[in-house]
Each structure stands twice: as C-alpha cells, then as structure tokens.
Amino acid sequence: MPTNGLHQVLKIQFGLINDEDRYLTAESFGFKVNASAPSLKRKQIWVLEPDPGHGAAVLLRSGHLGRYLVAEEDGCVSCEAERPARDCRFLVRPQPDGRWALQSEPHGRFFGGTEDRLSCFATAVSSAELWTVHLAIHPQAHLLSVSRRRYVHLCPQEEKMTADSDTPWGVDALLTLTFQNRQYCLRARDSRYLRSDGRLVGEPEAHARYTLEFKAGKLAFKDCDGRYLAPVGPAGTLRAGRNLRPSKDELFDLEESHPQVVLVAANHRYVSVRQGVNVSANQDEELDHETFLMQIDQETKKCTFYSSTGGYWTLVTHGCIQATATQVSANTMFEMEWRGRRVALKASNGRYVCMKKNGQLAAISDFVGEKHSLPTWGAGVLVSCDATALPAPRPGEDEEFILKLINRPILVLRGLDGFICHRRGSNQLDTNRSVYDVFHLSFSDGAYQIRGRGGGFWNTGSHDSVRSDGERAEDFLFEFRERGRLAIRARSGKYLRGGASGLLRADADAPAGVALWEY
C-alpha cells in the first residue's frame, strides 16, 4: 500500500564541469573516469554523500554505476569502490567564483585534469582543478527554509518572495532553477527572477545569479558579492543577508513539486471542499479550497487527491466522497481513465465517481455514460451509438471531469535522454539536451497550448515533427500516467516522444517509455 509522501526532499544529483566545459564521466568499462562528455547524461550524474564520523569529508557516488570515486596515494583515480573506503573521502573547497576544488581528504592532493588524463596529485588549485556544479534534478521544485520551516512563495502584490508559508500551496509556491553562465537563477511562476536585494526583475542579470553551495545535504545560494540568500524580517522576505558564510538561516531544502489540479464537473462548477468535508461541485471560482494535490502511486498507477484542509479524498458510506482521510489507504486511491479532454475516476468499490443532482461527488456509477458516449478526437473509449437518440447534455457527463494542472504556468520537460530544448538556429525541438528551455502553458476546455521561445506555439508538422513556430495555438492533451511523469497527446491521437535522432515527434502509439515526460 502506498504511504504518505506530501513533502519529500529531493536527492541532490549533479554533474561536474571542468574548465574546458566537459563533464566528469564514469565509464562501465574498467570503472575508469574521464572528462570528455559535452553534455549531462546518465554517465555524468553524481551524488554527494556524507561520510559519518569523518567531519566535513564527503563521498562522490556515480549515479550510473552506484560506485564511489577513489583517489589513491599515487594520484590515480577510478570509480570502482563498491563501498566507502578511506581513499573515497574528499573535501569540497568552494572557490570565490562558486566553483569547487575537490581535495583528497587522506592525501591532501587536488583532483582535476582534462579528457582521460585525470588525476588527484596537484598540490595547489589551478583552473584544471576547478569544477562547476550542474544540477541533474528536475529544476521545478518547492524551496523550504531550514531555519524557519516555511516555504518560499511569490507575493505578487508586494513584488517579492517570502518564506512564510506553512504549505507549498498553489501556483505561487513554484520555483524554477535556471542555469545561466555556470550559475543559477531563481525564477518565479510569473517568469521574473529574484535579485539579491529582494526585487524581482525580468532578466537574469548579474545580481540575480547565484552559485550553489552544499552544507550537510542542504543548499545555500551565494550572490555575486559573496553574501547568501536568507529569509529576512517578520515576513521572511527572501534577500541576501550580511553573512559571508552560510549558517542555518541561509540553508534550504528543495522539495518535489507534486501536481496541483482543479476539477470541473458537468455543471461547469469547480469541485470543492469549501462548505465542509463533502467533496462537491458547487463553486464558481478556483481558490485554495478548489485546489487538490494529486499524487500517483508508482506501483498501482492510481492517484490520491489531497485538499488544502488537510484531508485526502476517501470513499465513505453509500459511495460518498469526503476529504477526511489523514492516511493513504485503499479507499483514498482512484483509478484514472483518460477520455480525450475529460477524465473519469474509479473508486476502490469498482464504481465511477459521478456528480449527484446536488453537486456532491459519489462513486455510484457502474459505467461512464451508462449506454452512450459521443466520440471526440483523442478519446480513450469510443462507443458507437445512434446520434438521433442522444439527449443533451449527453449521458456520461456526470462521470466525466475536466482536470486542469495549475502549478505549471511555466513548464520544463525531461525525457529518458534529456530535456526538451530548441535546436540551435531552428524552431525544431530536441529531446536529448542537458540544458532546458522554459515553455509557457495555457489551458482551454481540457487541452493545453504550449508556447516556446519568441512566443511561437508548439505544432505538429510534416513527418510528425513538433515545432515551436506556430502562429495559432494547437491543442495537446496531458495524461498524468506515472508519479512525476505525463504523456502528451497530439491531435492525431499519437503521443509525443523522444528518440535516437533527438527530435521531438508525435508518432508514439502508447504512453510509455520515451513517450513519458518528467514535469
């Protein structure tokens, strides 16, 4: 049975870039290491682990091999240690420009070099021993102040970001980390960047770029003047403080940003818990009580809905749905059926959730649409029927809902081979990049429209290729298939996928593998 996991700290994975813009790589053959790769893929991902009982020493584990980086006394390096050992311990020495020097803890020498000529034998730090940290996690997350135990969010009316929220609720809690000139920017949901003086600006200028530092598994953001971001004052305004070394006040956790959604029923009203524990479609505006955090269980692919009042949707007596459960159980899990622009939800009693005449939701329907269903493009199930016999509104509407993702107004997509990014000098889209573009998302009647660089819309063209140069919006359907991953369906009914060529195409038959996107 799945367990609760509302607030999960992300495991920090990263790549290390040397002075020649090449990534540290762990090879399977001979467990050798080199710095030859031009981009960040599986072999270039590393995880920083503490070494308990050895002070500030850390371990570097290859995310690809699961083995540890080793620096022997003679300077030879490899990635062959299956378990932490003395020669696996390193000290991270942050430099003024934010880069790292990695010093062997037992031998005192520095690690560096080029291509396949890497060693840990330098007695002093030169440019060859400096490494830039490039995060390999998905860059859209929530930011939690370690000292205040409060979440950072945008305050649009006050033109600032503050760390004063008990929960990361709603679209304003979304932050996007963008990698610029070997540094990171904090981008709010309205696409503005946080300056170190607390102001929000439209461009990633020098004072809106930060170098990352790690301390005890936490993150610190250092500005160009050597000061660190921290929540300041009673409101927790996020800005650079006075400290030149990170204390607890300057440390943050990155947490996974689960999808938050609103649902609209057949009566064109929002599903809500505003009037009590009963989940009902009875509101005309979408606010916190109409927003639900959706989590998908990796094993069963069923989902839960968590409300702003602190309860999960759960099946109770007579099939009613209430937001009262404090723990995940079988009765809080719902199976999603994607039906074109709509979704149907099946509860643990095997029946579909429908809207009763008073707007309350209950799992009491044996079928979606009972006997009839109108065909629509992209529909998951099509049932032929006599069109002259169809009433209006059509049967089945009570079991179907519009589901809208609200906390991704800007979108970063990553597939099995890398991020989606504009191809250089073209409006085509690559799917295998270590850097990413940020796309803008809009929504209309169950479908999404995606805008890229320059304001061009995503559209499907010849040979099923997907481009970002459309003058008119084209509709795409999002299907949330796995935890943190969605499938995107084009108007042809095919799914968008990556592939060996690196081009984004709309020709996949099933929402799996290369047709799933981390968002």
Side-chain angles (χ1 to χ4, degrees):
M1 181 59 61
T3 57
N4 296 357
L6 294 176
H7 307 296
Q8 295 183 321
V9 176
L10 290 169
K11 180 173 64 176
I12 302 297
Q13 299 180 319
F14 55 86
L16 291 171
I17 310 171
N18 71 359
D19 192 53
E20 296 187 353
D21 284 327
R22 292 295 184 265
Y23 287 82
L24 178 63
T25 303
E27 300 288 359
S28 302
F29 180 73
F31 307 116
K32 296 179 181 180
V33 292
N34 61 66
S36 302
S39 60
L40 181 62
K41 301 293 180 62
R42 294 186 186 89
K43 292 183 179 181
Q44 290 76 41
I45 291 177
W46 299 85
V47 180
L48 198 70
E49 296 181 355
D51 192 13
H54 293 92
V58 296
L59 309 166
L60 284 166
R61 179 171 57 84
S62 164
H64 166 59
L65 300 176
R67 295 176 179 242
Y68 294 90
L69 187 67
V70 178
E72 299 177 9
E73 188 173 5
D74 61 2
C76 292
V77 291
S78 66
C79 192
E80 61 182 0
E82 295 185 71
R83 297 179 181 84
R86 178 172 179 265
D87 287 348
C88 299
R89 298 201 294 266
F90 289 87
L91 298 172
V92 176
R93 304 295 190 190
Q95 303 301 297
D97 64 356
R99 288 187 287 179
W100 287 2
L102 296 173
Q103 185 179 27
S104 168
E105 193 256 3
H107 309 304
R109 303 298 178 96
F110 292 93
F111 172 55
T114 59
E115 297 183 346
D116 59 356
R117 299 183 297 277
L118 300 182
S119 67
C120 191
F121 207 66
T123 57
V125 177
S126 69
S127 60
E129 284 76 44
L130 293 178
W131 301 90
T132 297
V133 178
H134 184 182
L135 291 180
I137 60 176
H138 192 279
Q140 294 186 291
H142 299 310
L143 195 63
L144 175 70
S145 167
V146 171
S147 62
R148 301 201 179 197
R149 305 309 299 171
R150 294 293 185 271
Y151 290 92
V152 174
H153 66 99
L154 173 68
C155 293
Q157 297 83 9
E158 301 178 35
E159 297 283 314
K160 63 182 181 181
M161 289 187 186
T162 60
D164 64 351
S165 177
D166 291 333
T167 58
W169 206 259
V171 65
D172 288 335
L174 178 71
L175 287 177
T176 302
L177 294 172
T178 58
F179 194 53
Q180 297 271 350
N181 300 323
R182 296 192 172 198
Q183 295 177 304
Y184 279 89
C185 303
L186 290 174
R187 193 171 184 176
R189 59 94 170 168
D190 63 1
S191 293
R192 291 185 294 172
Y193 300 90
L194 178 69
R195 267 179 58 110
S196 57
D197 61 2
R199 292 194 293 128
L200 296 168
V201 294
E203 297 296 331
E205 56 190 70
H207 283 89
R209 296 198 296 265
Y210 307 90
T211 54
L212 296 184
E213 292 190 8
F214 296 85
K215 184 177 180 181
K218 311 298 183 183
L219 279 178
F221 298 87
K222 184 168 71 173
D223 74 359
C224 59
D225 297 322
R227 301 177 302 156
Y228 293 86
L229 285 182
V232 178
T237 300
L238 201 61
R239 56 179 298 170
R242 298 178 180 177
N243 288 349
L244 297 178
R245 290 192 175 184
S247 66
K248 188 176 182 180
D249 287 340
E250 287 78 32
L251 297 181
F252 297 88
D253 275 327
L254 279 178
E255 289 191 0
E256 183 179 355
S257 175
H258 296 290
Q260 294 181 25
V261 301
V262 296
L263 295 99
V264 180
N267 62 358
H268 308 296
R269 306 189 83 182
Y270 291 99
V271 174
S272 176
V273 291
R274 183 177 301 275
Q275 295 181 336
V277 298
N278 289 329
V279 181
S280 302
N282 58 9
Q283 296 299 314
D284 295 320
E285 56 181 350
E286 54 178 87
L287 299 173
D288 284 353
H289 287 94
E290 292 71 49
T291 300
F292 302 96
L293 187 148
M294 184 174 71
Q295 288 181 289
I296 299 178
D297 179 59
Q298 195 60 34
E299 294 181 5
T300 65
K301 303 299 186 289
K302 294 181 179 180
C303 73
T304 61
F305 295 96
Y306 184 79
S307 74
S308 61
T309 56
Y312 291 93
W313 289 17
T314 187
L315 181 68
V316 296
T317 309
H318 305 304
C320 291
I321 306 298
Q322 295 183 344
T324 56
T326 58
Q327 298 290 325
V328 173
S329 67
N331 283 343
T332 67
M333 305 295 291
F334 296 85
E335 181 181 343
M336 290 189 289
E337 290 186 7
W338 298 99
R339 305 174 62 82
R341 294 173 180 261
R342 304 291 187 266
V343 64
L345 302 172
K346 184 184 287 186
S348 57
N349 62 357
R351 292 186 165 185
Y352 289 95
V353 176
C354 72
M355 180 191 67
K356 297 163 67 175
K357 292 185 182 298
N358 63 358
Q360 187 176 343
L361 302 195
I364 55 176
S365 291
D366 291 321
F367 304 97
V368 177
E370 298 298 334
K371 298 180 180 179
H372 306 290
S373 180
L374 281 178
T376 58
W377 76 267
V381 179
L382 296 181
V383 181
S384 61
C385 58
D386 178 6
T388 61
L390 290 176
R394 65 184 176 90
E397 278 194 338
D398 288 345
E399 292 85 24
E400 292 184 337
F401 299 87
I402 295 174
L403 185 146
K404 180 175 74 167
L405 176 69
I406 67 155
N407 64 333
R408 291 297 188 278
I410 55 178
L411 186 69
V412 176
L413 293 170
R414 179 167 68 174
L416 292 180
D417 299 309
F419 290 99
I420 294 182
C421 185
H422 286 90
R423 177 164 288 193
R424 292 181 181 89
S426 168
N427 285 310
Q428 292 180 311
L429 297 168
D430 284 328
T431 62
N432 58 358
R433 300 286 292 280
S434 57
V435 295
Y436 42 84
D437 278 337
V438 176
F439 301 96
H440 292 263
L441 202 62
S442 54
F443 181 86
S444 176
D445 188 31
Y448 297 84
Q449 301 80 39
I450 308 171
R451 282 187 295 115
R453 189 172 54 203
F457 288 97
W458 281 25
N459 64 95
T460 50
S462 58
H463 307 294
D464 297 314
S465 64
V466 180
R467 301 172 61 89
S468 184
D469 58 359
E471 294 183 3
R472 300 179 63 181
E474 184 172 318
D475 288 342
F476 293 90
L477 306 182
F478 284 10
E479 299 178 2
F480 301 91
R481 292 286 183 171
E482 294 185 2
R483 181 190 180 99
R485 287 172 170 79
L486 57 78
I488 303 176
R489 200 168 191 178
R491 59 184 178 182
S492 64
K494 301 287 188 176
Y495 293 94
L496 272 57
R497 67 162 180 88
S501 69
L503 280 178
L504 183 63
R505 297 189 181 280
D507 61 3
D509 293 318
V514 293
L516 289 179
W517 305 97
E518 187 179 356
Y519 62 99

